[in-house]
């Protein structure tokens, strides 16, 4: 049976964070502003979050370490979803976990995730589960080409996926999956990619940040434009999707919902992430409450903060050698630099981000 402690966890308590990356680091910094301590659980020593919080270094499957960790914290959250749901379930027997492990289980498997979206009336691209080569052939026959084959679990930033076009060998495509469960999705000719982040408290109160546009480079998020250049009506529909998803999940915490905007104005849910999200980093410099503080407020049972955007913003990821621009960025008067403390810059590795802010333009999409 899951443990549930008092709904309000006061300042001075310790927040446990599963995962030690930059999202955990920025959550810990936000928690410190509100008087909380943080303790991260991560298998790698010298992870970014360990520079600003106490750390337990152990495998996610180490039950003894998880038990010790649970004794040291007052509530637990997580900073990414590629962790064993079973480990989070085990923790929930000893300490409050927000969001719950069932939310994690839904978000980390694309088949479960797509099924959930469709069950609550949220439209997605066409999709089929793929367990073997025969399933793949049948799915391609039904969905057509082009389409995209993805691993059902543990894919991110373009990893674990293959585009299937007119010339793609299905044998080769399936071989790239290495025998793991997969999903085939119809290729979507979208106008833009958007996302919306919603926070939901233990009392059911929920608030959305403005809808943003996301632009990718080499399958990795390159820039987020806030607000997205969409109509107020479309922005409202995107927020309604995020709010409905969070409510049906019974989420307590933070949820990002990524969406495709089609040329005919439809919104197709692509995926969800029940944690802080790269597309929400702009909130640190352009909103009354940023996404990391909002997560802390939600998991600790505090009133949610205002999501009002007081500036327009463009967030740019610093990937690999982009980090070498740090000195020139610091000379820009309207640029806010955030570095993650990673020692080695590698191709495709997120080393930091910069948010450039501008006077608010109320004619753009999003809230007014």
């Amino acid at each position: 049976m899951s443990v549930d402690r008092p709904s309000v966890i006061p300042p001075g308590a310790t927040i446990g964070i599963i995962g030690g990356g930059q999202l955990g680091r920025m959550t810990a910094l936000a928690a410190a502003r509100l008087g909380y301590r943080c303790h991260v659980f991560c298998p790698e020593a010298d992870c970014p979050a360990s520079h600003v919080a106490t750390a337990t270094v152990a495998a996610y499957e180490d039950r003894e370490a998880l038990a010790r960790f649970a004794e040291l914290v007052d509530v637990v959250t997580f900073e990414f979803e590629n962790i064993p749901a079973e480990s989070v379930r085990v923790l929930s027997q000893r300490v409050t976990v927000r969001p719950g492990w069932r939310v994690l289980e839904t978000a980390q498997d694309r088949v479960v995730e797509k099924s959930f979206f469709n069950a609550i009336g949220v439209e997605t691209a066409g999709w089929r589960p793929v367990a073997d080569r025969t399933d793949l052939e049948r799915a391609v026959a039904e969905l057509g080409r082009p389409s995209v084959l993805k691993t059902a679990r543990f894919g991110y930033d373009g990893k674990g996926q293959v585009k299937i076009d007119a010339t793609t060998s299905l044998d080769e495509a399936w071989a790239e999956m290495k025998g793991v469960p997969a999903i085939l999705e119809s290729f979507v000719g979208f106008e833009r990619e958007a996302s919306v982040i919603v926070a939901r408290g233990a009392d059911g109160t929920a608030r959305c940040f403005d809808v943003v546009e996301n632009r990718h480079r080499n399958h990795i998020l390159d820039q987020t434009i806030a607000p997205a250049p969409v109509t107020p009506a479309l922005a409202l529909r995107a927020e309604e999707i995020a709010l409905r998803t969070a409510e049906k999940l019974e989420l307590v915490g933070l949820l990002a919902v990524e969406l495709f905007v089609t040329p005919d104005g439809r919104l197709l849910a692509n995926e969800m992430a029940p944690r802080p999200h790269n597309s929400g980093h702009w909130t640190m410099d352009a909103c009354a409450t940023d996404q990391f503080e909002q997560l802390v407020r939600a998991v600790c049972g505090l009133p949610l903060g205002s999501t009002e955007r007081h500036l327009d913003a463009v967030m740019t990821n610093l990937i690999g050698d982009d980090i070498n621009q740090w000195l020139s960025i610091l000379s820009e008067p309207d640029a806010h630099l955030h570095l993650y403390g990673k020692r080695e810059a590698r191709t495709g590795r997120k080393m930091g981000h910069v948010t450039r802010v501008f006077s608010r333009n109320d004619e753009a999409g999003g809230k007014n």
Side-chain angles (χ1 to χ4, degrees):
M1 181 179 294
S2 296
V3 171
D4 204 359
R5 295 182 178 177
S7 59
V8 176
I9 297 167
T14 299
I15 301 169
I17 303 173
I18 307 297
Q22 62 264 20
L23 300 178
R25 177 190 179 98
M26 289 182 277
T27 300
L29 291 170
R33 294 198 304 267
L34 294 180
Y36 293 91
R37 301 181 182 188
C38 286
H39 188 135
V40 300
F41 190 107
C42 183
E44 297 90 19
D46 196 34
C47 60
S50 71
H51 305 164
V52 298
T54 306
T56 290
V57 179
Y60 291 127
E61 300 82 0
D62 187 335
R63 293 202 173 201
E64 291 185 5
L66 289 169
R68 292 194 300 269
F69 175 72
E71 292 299 316
L72 298 171
V73 300
D74 298 286
V75 66
V76 171
T77 191
F78 42 85
E79 62 115 40
F80 79 132
E81 60 270 23
N82 286 346
I83 53 180
E86 175 62 16
S87 297
V88 180
R89 187 190 69 80
V90 168
L91 274 175
S92 72
Q93 296 173 339
R94 296 174 175 270
V95 63
T96 302
V97 179
R98 294 172 173 164
W101 67 273
R102 291 190 183 279
V103 175
L104 177 66
E105 192 174 53
T106 301
Q108 66 183 192
D109 186 298
R110 287 189 172 97
V111 172
V112 178
E113 178 184 62
K114 300 287 187 186
S115 298
F116 177 82
F117 275 134
N118 295 160
I120 65 170
V122 174
E123 188 179 5
T124 63
W127 63 276
R128 298 290 186 276
V130 176
D132 54 33
R133 169 65 173 76
T134 301
D135 278 353
L136 176 59
E137 188 165 2
R138 183 183 303 113
V140 171
E142 293 175 356
L143 297 180
R145 304 184 188 219
S147 49
V148 184
L149 181 65
K150 302 178 180 180
T151 56
R153 299 166 62 88
F154 305 125
Y156 64 98
D157 288 345
K159 298 178 176 65
Q161 59 181 265
V162 181
K163 183 177 179 181
I164 295 179
D165 56 27
T167 63
T168 303
S169 161
L170 296 188
D171 288 331
E172 293 178 3
W174 180 246
E176 288 199 39
M177 295 295 102
K178 298 181 171 35
V180 302
I183 184 173
L184 186 74
E185 298 178 11
S186 296
F187 187 79
V188 177
F190 55 86
E191 181 179 82
R192 59 174 49 90
E193 291 187 50
S195 63
V196 56
I197 294 174
V198 57
R200 186 172 183 271
D203 62 354
T205 301
R207 290 183 180 171
C208 291
F209 291 96
D210 284 340
V211 179
V212 297
E213 178 179 353
N214 298 317
R215 298 177 181 176
H216 292 75
R217 177 170 48 125
N218 299 325
H219 302 288
I220 301 173
L221 181 63
D222 179 34
Q223 286 191 328
T224 294
I225 295 92
V230 298
T231 65
L234 190 144
L236 181 60
R237 283 197 285 124
E239 290 183 9
E240 289 171 346
I241 288 171
L243 288 164
R244 187 189 319 163
T245 304
E247 179 184 2
K248 295 299 184 181
L249 285 169
E250 298 182 352
L251 175 112
V252 177
L254 207 64
L255 180 75
V257 179
E258 297 182 46
L259 303 157
F260 294 125
V261 182
T262 67
D264 60 357
R266 289 185 301 149
L267 289 172
L268 305 178
N270 180 31
E271 59 186 29
M272 68 174 83
R275 54 164 172 81
H277 196 258
N278 199 167
S279 70
H281 290 352
W282 66 277
T283 63
M284 300 172 75
D285 303 299
C287 288
T289 308
D290 66 57
Q291 67 164 343
F292 300 102
E293 179 179 327
Q294 199 75 301
L295 174 63
V296 172
R297 286 171 174 252
V299 301
C300 291
L302 309 181
L304 297 181
S306 168
T307 56
E308 178 71 16
R309 170 180 52 83
H310 50 76
L311 292 167
D312 289 353
V314 175
M315 186 285 302
T316 303
N317 274 326
L318 301 176
I319 300 170
D321 290 340
D322 292 347
I323 190 67
N324 296 330
Q325 303 170 23
W326 66 269
L327 188 58
S328 63
I329 291 169
L330 286 174
S331 69
E332 299 179 37
D334 295 317
H336 299 266
L337 180 65
H338 302 268
L339 302 181
Y340 304 153
K342 297 179 181 178
R343 295 187 183 278
E344 180 184 1
R346 298 194 298 265
T347 301
R349 192 181 199 194
K350 295 171 184 172
M351 302 297 295
H353 70 269
V354 55
T355 304
R356 295 176 172 91
V357 295
F358 312 91
S359 297
R360 178 169 167 161
N361 176 9
D362 285 335
E363 294 181 1
K367 296 186 184 74
N368 290 313

